[in-house]
Amino acid sequence: MMVVTASDAFNAILLAIILGVLGTWLYLLTYTIRSYKYAPRLYDGNGSVIEEPRVDIIVPARNEERFIARCLDSLLKQRYSRFRIIAVDDSSTDGTARIMEEFAGRDSRVLFIHAGEKPDGWVGKNWACYQAYLRSDAELLLFTDADSVHDEMLLPLAVKRLLKDGLDALTLVPRLECIDTWTKATLPLLLVFLHSRYSPLRVNSNKHDTGYFFGSYYIIRREVYEAVGTHKGVRNEIIEDGALGARVKKQGFRMRMFLADDLFSAVWARDLNTLINGLSRLIVPIYHVSKAKAFGVFLITFFLFLYPFLLASYSLLQPLSLNLDLGTSLAVTSMATCITIAVTSLIHSIKGLGINPLYAFASPLGSLLIPLGFLVGIRKSRHGVVWRGRSYTHSIYRADGFKI
């Protein structure tokens, strides 16, 4: 009769977990391939627009002197005749306001305004966007980030698609620009969430209730923006673009998401510190809805990303006395999972980011940083979160994430 030792039982549990993780990664890999293959792209071969409704392009900026000039340069080159740029300084402490004011002085299509100090209960960016809205009068509002760069055909193509499809709102997925090694190692894995939870395949489907805007580019009809409460309705949301997009879809307006990584880019993180802060920011709204759910998200990311690499190391370092069948299964399954993670990272590196595919070999580093960033976010959420040099604390949230 075979005797099952405590060590064998423990390793059997490890094996059961890694089999579930491997199955999850095979699903995510399949969904990644489907997303890149079937998600609609903005460009359809013809950028001409018969009708050109007026567009106000709203660009909030706080301490963006490194990127704001190239953003405004690219926006001013848009091949569209009826647009204005409302450049909003969100209490910057660097040269951002000076640069925006210089652009306004050189080109009448740029309106420069100071947002002023944000009131209590507002996130700074949301306050800046709302101040720009109060100064706008266009039929269409385009919100974009100060670190984005736009192809000259992007605006006409986006407006054409909005009109052609009879949409109330449209958002575009950019190519996320990786400017540091930490981001290059981590972002390919983080895109797994983008191409599963927030894929255009889900956002554009009536079978899913997922609504989402990418803050780097979304166009919304003025009356729809007002109907969902403007940025005032999401004034305390750190991930305000996601919250606003959720409201648009929840209220039954027509919205669609398109891939446009060939037409514009945006910076997600600039260094290790902003990378960790960016990851922390993602979990803050979840924490204030449910602490248990936030900790559950951390555990999921731990087992999904870091566990396979830890288990692979553990299984390879086990003594020969370990049950050979069980030991072999642990080693083979964990290594297969690590390879699947690397392949998924490789696809995102090439298709989504356009970076050196060798960064797929940095998957273990990215797999460490993602759960670490979420854990830091949970820890900080108890006292508030720092974003763009400001500290925010959150009030009570309903189950849908909106403040009460």
Side-chain angles (χ1 to χ4, degrees):
M1 183 176 69
M2 185 176 67
V3 178
V4 178
T5 66
S7 177
D8 287 341
F10 176 71
N11 285 295
I13 294 172
L14 296 182
L15 178 60
I17 294 174
I18 194 62
L19 284 171
V21 173
L22 175 59
T24 302
W25 271 106
L26 290 173
Y27 166 79
L28 292 172
L29 174 59
T30 302
Y31 205 98
T32 290
I33 295 171
R34 287 187 63 240
S35 184
Y36 281 118
K37 184 175 182 179
Y38 296 112
R41 305 197 70 86
L42 179 66
Y43 184 62
D44 64 0
N46 183 4
S48 60
V49 183
I50 298 176
E51 178 186 355
E52 290 195 353
R54 285 200 309 116
V55 179
D56 275 340
I57 305 175
I58 295 173
V59 188
R62 176 174 170 83
N63 296 338
E64 293 284 8
E65 66 178 359
R66 181 179 177 184
F67 300 107
I68 188 62
R70 68 173 194 170
C71 174
L72 295 178
D73 269 329
S74 68
L75 289 173
L76 286 170
K77 293 175 183 176
Q78 296 300 292
R79 298 181 64 178
Y80 193 90
S81 62
R82 304 183 68 203
F83 74 88
R84 175 180 61 163
I85 299 171
I86 304 179
V88 195
D89 173 48
D90 178 19
S91 300
S92 297
T93 58
D94 62 2
T96 299
R98 173 185 53 79
I99 295 170
M100 291 195 295
E101 192 169 17
E102 289 174 355
F103 270 87
R106 295 197 304 263
D107 197 309
S108 61
R109 293 175 296 173
V110 180
L111 171 64
F112 168 65
I113 64 174
H114 287 286
E117 287 300 319
K118 71 175 188 69
D120 290 340
W122 283 79
V123 172
K125 180 181 178 182
N126 303 348
W127 174 249
C129 288
Y130 185 67
Q131 294 308 299
Y133 153 71
L134 294 177
R135 299 289 295 273
S136 71
D137 58 5
E139 178 184 343
L140 299 179
L141 302 176
L142 163 59
F143 294 89
T144 190
D145 286 338
D147 55 20
S148 58
V149 180
H150 306 242
D151 183 271
E152 64 183 13
M153 291 303 299
L154 185 59
L155 182 57
L157 285 169
V159 172
K160 177 188 175 184
R161 176 64 70 175
L162 184 87
L163 299 177
K164 179 181 177 182
D165 293 357
L167 303 178
D168 297 306
L170 170 151
T171 187
L172 302 178
V173 181
R175 176 177 60 82
L176 294 176
E177 190 176 348
C178 300
I179 60 178
D180 69 289
T181 301
W182 302 101
T183 304
K184 290 175 182 176
T186 307
L187 204 52
L189 293 176
L190 201 58
L191 289 187
V192 168
F193 293 116
L194 166 64
H195 286 275
S196 55
R197 175 61 178 161
Y198 299 114
S199 167
L201 299 183
R202 291 179 64 91
V203 173
N204 297 346
S205 172
N206 294 328
K207 298 178 181 179
H208 299 282
D209 60 1
T210 304
Y212 195 83
F213 285 156
F214 282 92
S216 49
Y217 204 102
Y218 59 96
I219 298 180
I220 185 169
R221 294 184 185 272
R222 185 182 192 86
E223 64 270 19
V224 175
Y225 178 66
E226 293 170 344
V228 298
T230 73
H231 275 83
K232 187 175 183 179
V234 294
R235 59 189 175 274
N236 70 317
E237 295 281 356
I238 292 181
I239 308 178
E240 85 296 332
D241 42 9
L244 203 58
R247 288 190 170 205
V248 169
K249 188 162 186 179
K250 186 176 182 180
Q251 294 187 28
F253 293 107
R254 293 201 58 186
M255 65 173 292
R256 292 195 75 193
M257 177 185 290
F258 297 90
L259 297 181
D261 51 344
D262 55 337
L263 293 168
F264 87 114
S265 64
V267 178
W268 197 79
R270 295 96 193 271
D271 51 35
L272 179 59
N273 184 54
T274 58
L275 175 63
I276 295 297
N277 276 342
L279 289 166
S280 300
R281 185 177 70 123
L282 295 176
I283 205 165
V284 169
I286 301 173
Y287 179 89
H288 287 281
V289 171
S290 168
K291 294 179 177 61
K293 185 179 291 186
F295 191 69
V297 170
F298 163 72
L299 287 179
I300 289 172
T301 56
F302 171 82
F303 282 108
L304 194 61
F305 291 102
L306 190 54
Y307 176 74
F309 293 99
L310 294 177
L311 185 61
S313 301
Y314 167 81
S315 62
L316 292 175
L317 294 175
Q318 286 299 296
L320 293 176
S321 58
L322 177 69
N323 181 307
L324 289 180
D325 290 338
L326 192 55
T328 301
S329 298
L330 272 178
V332 170
T333 308
S334 59
M335 289 303 299
T337 306
C338 293
I339 292 171
T340 305
I341 293 173
V343 170
T344 307
S345 177
L346 177 67
I347 293 173
H348 286 305
S349 296
I350 297 172
K351 298 285 290 183
L353 300 172
I355 61 176
N356 192 322
L358 291 178
Y359 279 102
F361 291 102
S363 297
L365 177 60
S367 294
L368 169 64
L369 291 175
I370 291 174
L372 176 63
F374 285 175
L375 185 61
V376 169
I378 290 173
R379 180 177 176 274
K380 288 181 176 180
S381 292
R382 294 178 296 174
H383 310 290
V385 64
V386 176
W387 184 246
R388 298 286 175 161
R390 292 187 176 112
S391 180
Y392 295 104
T393 56
H394 287 255
S395 300
I396 301 172
Y397 284 70
R398 293 201 308 265
D400 60 5
F402 297 132
K403 185 184 178 211
I404 56 174

